Amino acid sequence: MNLKEIYLSVLKVNQRTTGDLMYTLPSSSVYPCQWLWDSCFHAIIYTKFEEFDRAKDEIRSLLAGQWENGMVPHMIYWQREARHICNWGTDKKTSSITQPPMIAYAVERIFEATGDKNFVKEVFDKLDNYYKWLHRERSFNDLLFVIHPWETGEDDFVAWDDVYGLKEQMPSKDVLKKIKLEILRQYVQTGLNPKTFVEKDVFSIKCLLFNTVYLKNLRSMLHLAEEIGSKETKHYNATLSKTIVSFEKELLDQKTGLYSSAYNHGKEQLADSSETSSVFLPLFAGIPTKQNAEKLVKEHLLDEDRFWTRYPVPTVATDHSSFQPDRYWRGSTWININWFIYKGLIDYGFDDTAKELKEKSFDLVERSGFCEYFNPIDGTGYGPKDFCWSGLIFDM
Ligand code: GLC
């Protein structure tokens, strides 16, 4: 079997149907529910394979889990009890937090490939409710804050250690799990009120990845609104402009030209964040100036002693004191992060670097299979071997 055939069999194993809804699990062996940004990646991959109905169904099922207030939960437990790992503080069959808001971009990709305006019209109001919920409930100065590490999508990220006040450089999986469950417990205690929770100062971060994805998706919302002649065009134009200004003001260190996440309502930057792969993500949303992009790529991404390993891009620079090549979000390479960076490189005209990243990502999957994450030094694969978003290599 060639790589694509192997991948198609991975998809098949993970496809599920509930009533008339169809969705794809991230990995049936480890992640038996529907996840927000995973489904967006799946929709992009299906679009690439011209499986447009599947792509649309992935979005439809995701939006079927949307709450009345507009939130799209990060997990939907279609076929099981929502309380199996923790108490989400809700009777719904979903989690009570969200994840990087990739939905508008996925819908835009489907639209670009199919020209299907009816599909855009079908989902537009739901998307509009979601992005307005994010802005209403989760923004300070037009940038979004997340209230749980699981919302960042980068669950055990080194850059969050500072926020927890962790002294040890290499905390165990169990220590981090306890912290995450405690943060959730405290959120549930507020009756799921993000503003009250932020006042408690437990965990609220203007996450670089989350805001990059948000900004890119505001561009997609603007595009979709224009395509269907929606009156919301004005709203998305204005929101986008304000978000770009805040992004540059709060997340860019003018001295170094590097971006980072921020905490304490955006007043303080998280130093470690610029030592991670997130530093390259703003390229995906077209934020850095040409000059800053050049610096990011030449001085940082291509630095063989930090990021440009045999199997890039490590989630933490290899010379960082917390770097662990085999740990979940603490040094390992993830295909979705490579995909974000690849898209950004192409948009900025770094074609050769993009090509190299694509080849190295293919090497990784050819060598180790469609694993969840990989060792950036020797390419060993970790986590389940049937992990769907690693198929993003086909969209590189
Ligand atoms: C892990 C990842 C998260 C992903 C989920 C399902 O929790 O950190 O980003 O969405 O698994 O794949």
Side-chain angles (χ1 to χ4, degrees):
M1 280 206 283
N2 66 30
L3 206 56
K4 184 164 170 199
E5 285 162 350
I6 295 173
Y7 183 66
L8 289 177
S9 65
V10 165
L11 279 178
K12 244 199 168 64
V13 170
N14 291 313
Q15 287 163 350
R16 294 288 181 280
T17 305
T18 298
D20 53 3
L21 295 172
M22 294 211 274
Y23 51 93
T24 311
L25 307 175
S27 146
S28 44
S29 54
V30 176
Y31 298 111
C33 307
Q34 183 172 21
W35 256 266
L36 194 165
W37 75 331
D38 296 69
S39 270
C40 299
F41 294 133
H42 304 162
I44 292 165
I45 299 165
Y46 284 128
T47 301
K48 190 72 187 182
F49 291 166
E50 302 190 356
E51 288 201 41
F52 302 125
D53 289 340
R54 275 267 173 209
K56 290 175 192 168
D57 282 338
E58 204 72 20
I59 301 295
R60 287 187 181 113
S61 50
L62 195 54
L63 291 173
Q66 183 168 33
W67 287 19
E68 299 80 55
N69 65 1
M71 185 188 78
V72 179
H74 95 299
M75 288 170 78
I76 309 177
Y77 295 78
W78 292 116
Q79 294 177 342
R80 47 175 54 219
E81 277 310 307
R83 284 174 180 253
H84 84 285
I85 50 161
C86 48
N87 172 16
W88 294 109
T90 171
D91 291 336
K92 299 182 204 298
K93 283 188 102 162
T94 74
S95 72
S96 50
I97 58 175
T98 191
Q99 237 188 354
M102 277 294 282
I103 316 179
Y105 175 85
V107 170
E108 185 185 27
R109 287 289 301 271
I110 296 172
F111 171 70
E112 279 170 352
T114 59
D116 184 353
K117 281 196 188 174
N118 285 333
F119 177 63
V120 178
K121 285 182 190 156
E122 176 192 327
V123 296
F124 187 83
D125 287 351
K126 291 185 175 176
L127 298 186
D128 186 41
N129 284 339
Y130 178 44
Y131 289 95
K132 285 189 180 146
W133 171 82
L134 281 168
H135 192 263
R136 190 174 64 244
E137 298 289 328
R138 294 298 194 82
S139 72
F140 281 120
N141 299 337
D142 298 299
L143 288 181
L144 305 183
F145 61 89
V146 293
I147 48 107
H148 197 283
W150 284 330
E151 288 200 323
T152 69
E154 306 166 304
D155 309 6
D156 287 0
F157 215 34
V158 162
W160 316 147
D161 290 5
D162 260 2
V163 185
Y164 311 143
L166 264 182
K167 298 276 177 286
E168 43 188 327
Q169 226 110 52
M170 297 182 185
S172 70
K173 213 174 144 189
D174 281 351
V175 164
L176 293 173
K177 186 171 174 196
K178 263 201 198 119
I179 292 175
K180 288 179 289 190
L181 289 176
E182 175 57 18
I183 295 174
L184 180 65
R185 196 189 64 77
Q186 296 208 35
Y187 180 53
V188 168
Q189 231 176 30
T190 67
L192 308 183
N193 185 327
K195 299 259 153 90
T196 313
F197 182 72
V198 166
E199 278 159 24
K200 291 170 98 180
D201 202 16
V202 181
F203 186 91
S204 68
I205 291 178
K206 290 191 170 171
C207 167
L208 189 54
L209 184 153
F210 202 95
N211 279 288
T212 299
V213 166
Y214 174 59
L215 210 156
K216 179 77 169 180
N217 277 260
L218 287 178
R219 293 192 198 283
S220 303
M221 281 304 282
L222 175 59
H223 178 201
L224 295 173
E226 281 166 357
E227 287 291 346
I228 60 168
S230 162
K231 61 175 180 12
E232 298 306 327
T233 306
K234 232 170 111 189
H235 167 82
Y236 284 101
N237 226 329
T239 310
L240 181 60
S241 309
K242 287 190 284 184
T243 309
I244 294 174
V245 172
S246 293
F247 203 103
E248 291 292 281
K249 208 159 122 197
E250 292 188 29
L251 304 183
L252 173 65
D253 180 338
Q254 297 290 349
K255 281 194 270 9
T256 60
L258 296 177
Y259 295 86
S260 65
S261 297
Y263 69 136
N264 196 5
H265 300 188
K267 285 190 231 85
E268 289 168 51
Q269 298 203 325
L270 281 173
D272 277 350
S273 172
S274 55
E275 293 293 315
T276 69
S277 51
S278 291
V279 78
F280 308 113
L281 298 181
L283 294 169
F284 172 70
I287 303 164
T289 57
K290 185 81 196 151
Q291 200 187 0
N292 268 347
E294 188 90 26
K295 199 170 156 163
L296 265 178
V297 175
K298 302 221 160 113
E299 289 177 23
H300 299 278
L301 182 62
L302 292 175
D303 182 345
E304 292 182 358
D305 296 325
R306 294 174 66 229
F307 288 110
W308 208 243
T309 54
R310 170 70 187 90
Y311 299 102
V313 177
T315 30
V316 178
T318 54
D319 65 347
H320 190 278
S321 52
S322 295
F323 170 72
Q324 286 179 279
D326 55 349
R327 284 286 298 280
Y328 194 76
W329 297 112
R330 301 182 69 85
S332 49
T333 292
W334 291 69
I335 297 296
N336 66 332
I337 298 296
N338 283 8
W339 174 87
F340 281 123
I341 298 173
Y342 172 85
K343 294 280 175 204
L345 290 170
I346 291 285
D347 288 348
Y348 277 84
F350 296 103
D351 292 357
D352 293 344
T353 309
K355 184 165 170 267
E356 215 183 308
L357 182 57
K358 172 180 170 165
E359 284 167 4
K360 290 180 164 191
S361 303
F362 265 89
D363 281 358
L364 202 49
V365 173
E366 255 156 15
R367 185 191 180 287
S368 299
F370 291 92
C371 289
E372 186 182 13
Y373 56 108
F374 304 86
N375 187 310
I377 316 280
D378 66 16
T380 306
Y382 306 112
K385 274 192 181 301
D386 59 351
F387 193 68
C388 289
W389 87 35
S390 292
L392 282 170
I393 52 166
F394 297 110
D395 190 48
M396 291 171 96

